[in-house]
Amino acid sequence: MNGEWRRALLYLGGSMGPLGTFVMLPMIPELRTTYSVTTAQIGWALWCYLLPFAGLLLVSGTIADRWGRSRILRPAIALYAVATAACAIAPSYLWFLVARVAQGSMNAFITPLLLAALTEAVAASGVGRIVGRYAAGQALGQLTAPILGGLSADVNWRLAFLATAVVGAAIALLMPNPADAGTSAAGTTQTLGARPRMRTLLRRPVLLLAATALLSALGPIGARVLVGLSSRDVIGLTGSRTGLLLFAGGVAGMAAAPLWGIVLDRWGGRQAATVAIAVCSGLVAMLPAARSAWTLAAIWLVAGAATQTVVVSFQSLASVAAPDNRGGALSFTLSHRFVGHAIGSVVWLPLFTVSPTATYLASAGIGVAALIAVLASGLNTTEPR
C-alpha cells in the first residue's frame, strides 16, 4: 500500500467518531425491543458515549503528546473497534451502555491525535488543505452513520456495529505510524520526550478559540437539529424526506470542507474563520423565512456547507494555537465544541416549541459572539496571500 493510500486511512479515521455517535439513531425501536427498555432509557446510550468523549477530550491530546502519539493512537483505534464489537454482541442493556462508555472514551484519543499527526508534518501554508480533507472524512461518517444504521435496523441492528468494528480494526492494522517528531505547522520541532502540560492551554488565545468552538456549536453549526424540527413540525414533511433533506446538507458540507481548506490557506485562518462564521450565522437567520420544503432545502443546502467551513476554520486554528502542545490544543477545542452541542440540545428544543423564529435568530446571534471570540484570539494559520 503506497503512502497516499495509507494517509487516506488517517482521513478515513476521522469518520469513526461520527459513526459511533449517530449509527444508533435509526435503530431506536429495535434497541427498545431487544433490551425491553423505554425511549428515555435509550437516550442513556447517547450520553454514555458523549459524556466520556467530551470529558476526556480536555486532556487526551496532552496525554498523548506526553507519552507519544504512536503509543496511543493505534491502540486507541483497536480498542475502539473492540468496544464497538462489544456493542454488537451485548447480551444486556447494561453491557451495551458500558461498551458505549468505552467507545466514547477511546474516540477522545482518536479524533484530535489523527488531526495533530496530519497537520504537524506540513508547513503553515498547507494546514487548511489537510484539515479540510480530514473534515470531509468526518462529514462522511455523519452521512453514512444513519444509512448504515437504518439498513441494519431492517435486518439486524447488530450488523451496523459489527461493520463499524471491522472498519476500525482495518484502520488500526493498516494505518501508518504517526510521527512523534517533525516540523510543526508553526515551524517548530516537537521531539519525542517533550513533556507538554495542561497549563500550556490556559492561555488567552487558546481559551478564546475554545470559546469560539463552544459558541459556534451552541449557535449556528448546531442548527441541524432545528432544521429537522422545522421540516417535521412546521412544514410537515415525512421522516424519510426530512432525512433526505438533512442528508443533502451533509453532502454539501463534505464537498465544501476540502475546498474551504484551500481558501483558508490563501486567506489565513482568522479571516477564513470570520467569513465562515458570519456567512453561516446569516444563513441560519434566514431559515425562519422558509415556509416550503423547497425553500428550506435550498437554504439548508448552502447552510450545511457553511457549517462545515466553520468547523474547518476553528480546527485549523487549533492546530497552530499551541505548537508546544498541538494535540492538547486540538482536543481541548473539540471538547468545547461537543459541550456546545450538548447545551444546545437542552436550550433550543424547549424554545423552539414556543417560537421557531426566535430560536433561529438567537442561534444566529450567538454566532456573532463566536465571531468576536475568534477575532479577539489573535490566532492565524498563516499570513493571507
Side-chain angles (χ1 to χ4, degrees):
M1 182 179 292
N2 63 39
E4 286 301 316
W5 280 105
R6 290 172 71 85
R7 178 176 288 188
L9 287 173
L10 296 179
Y11 296 128
L12 182 61
S15 68
M16 299 306 296
L19 268 174
T21 305
F22 300 115
V23 73
M24 62 166 283
L25 296 183
M27 59 178 71
I28 288 175
E30 288 73 24
L31 289 169
R32 284 198 309 251
T33 300
T34 299
Y35 295 120
S36 300
V37 294
T38 65
T39 299
Q41 289 172 315
I42 291 296
W44 299 348
L46 285 172
W47 281 101
C48 282
Y49 183 95
L50 289 172
L51 284 180
F53 177 42
L56 284 172
L57 272 173
L58 287 170
V59 298
S60 60
T62 300
I63 291 172
D65 278 358
R66 286 171 65 88
W67 285 35
R69 293 190 200 117
S70 61
R71 299 177 184 176
I72 299 290
L73 184 52
R74 192 187 300 272
I77 297 175
L79 289 172
Y80 181 92
V82 171
T84 306
C87 290
I89 64 173
S92 69
Y93 193 51
L94 179 59
W95 179 312
F96 185 78
L97 292 180
V98 171
R100 290 288 286 174
V101 169
Q103 268 192 306
S105 299
M106 290 303 101
N107 189 41
F109 290 91
I110 296 173
T111 300
L113 305 193
L114 284 172
L115 192 52
L118 285 164
T119 57
E120 190 161 83
V122 299
S125 59
V127 165
R129 289 175 175 83
I130 293 294
V131 176
R133 292 169 188 168
Y134 185 78
Q138 292 176 306
L140 177 65
Q142 292 175 3
L143 289 174
T144 56
I147 296 173
L148 176 63
L151 291 175
S152 298
D154 291 339
V155 181
N156 187 327
W157 65 265
R158 298 179 189 272
L159 293 176
F161 287 96
L162 286 174
T164 305
V166 169
V167 172
I171 292 173
L173 181 64
L174 299 174
M175 64 173 283
N177 283 319
D180 283 305
T183 302
S184 74
T188 64
T189 299
Q190 183 187 46
T191 58
L192 186 62
R195 309 288 287 180
R197 299 181 183 277
M198 280 296 296
R199 66 168 175 261
T200 62
L201 306 180
L202 303 180
R203 302 168 180 166
R204 182 172 177 271
V206 179
L207 293 173
L208 284 169
L209 184 62
T212 301
L214 189 152
L215 292 167
S216 297
L218 176 59
I221 70 172
R224 179 189 181 102
V225 175
L226 302 181
V227 171
L229 282 172
S230 288
S231 179
R232 299 302 302 274
D233 295 346
V234 177
I235 296 178
L237 294 183
T238 63
S240 59
R241 290 183 177 180
T242 296
L244 184 61
L245 186 151
L246 294 174
F247 178 83
V251 170
M254 187 172 67
L259 297 176
W260 192 252
I262 296 172
V263 172
L264 189 147
D265 285 338
R266 296 188 62 86
W267 288 1
R270 183 166 61 246
Q271 182 174 336
T274 302
V275 172
I277 295 171
V279 170
C280 188
S281 299
L283 288 165
V284 169
M286 292 172 58
L287 284 167
R291 298 298 177 183
S292 70
W294 287 110
T295 305
L296 181 64
I299 297 175
W300 177 241
L301 191 67
V302 184
T307 60
Q308 205 64 23
T309 67
V310 177
V311 173
V312 171
S313 298
F314 69 66
Q315 288 187 164
S316 296
L317 289 170
S319 72
V320 300
D324 49 352
N325 190 2
R326 185 184 306 277
L330 282 162
S331 66
F332 188 75
T333 302
L334 288 170
S335 175
H336 283 77
R337 174 192 173 183
F338 287 102
V339 168
H341 284 306
I343 295 173
S345 65
V346 175
V347 172
W348 299 132
L349 297 187
L351 180 58
F352 189 91
T353 61
V354 177
S355 173
T357 298
T359 306
Y360 277 120
L361 293 178
S363 178
I366 289 178
V368 176
L371 191 151
I372 293 171
V374 76
L375 288 174
S377 75
L379 291 169
N380 207 0
T381 53
T382 185
E383 290 302 318
R385 283 185 272 167

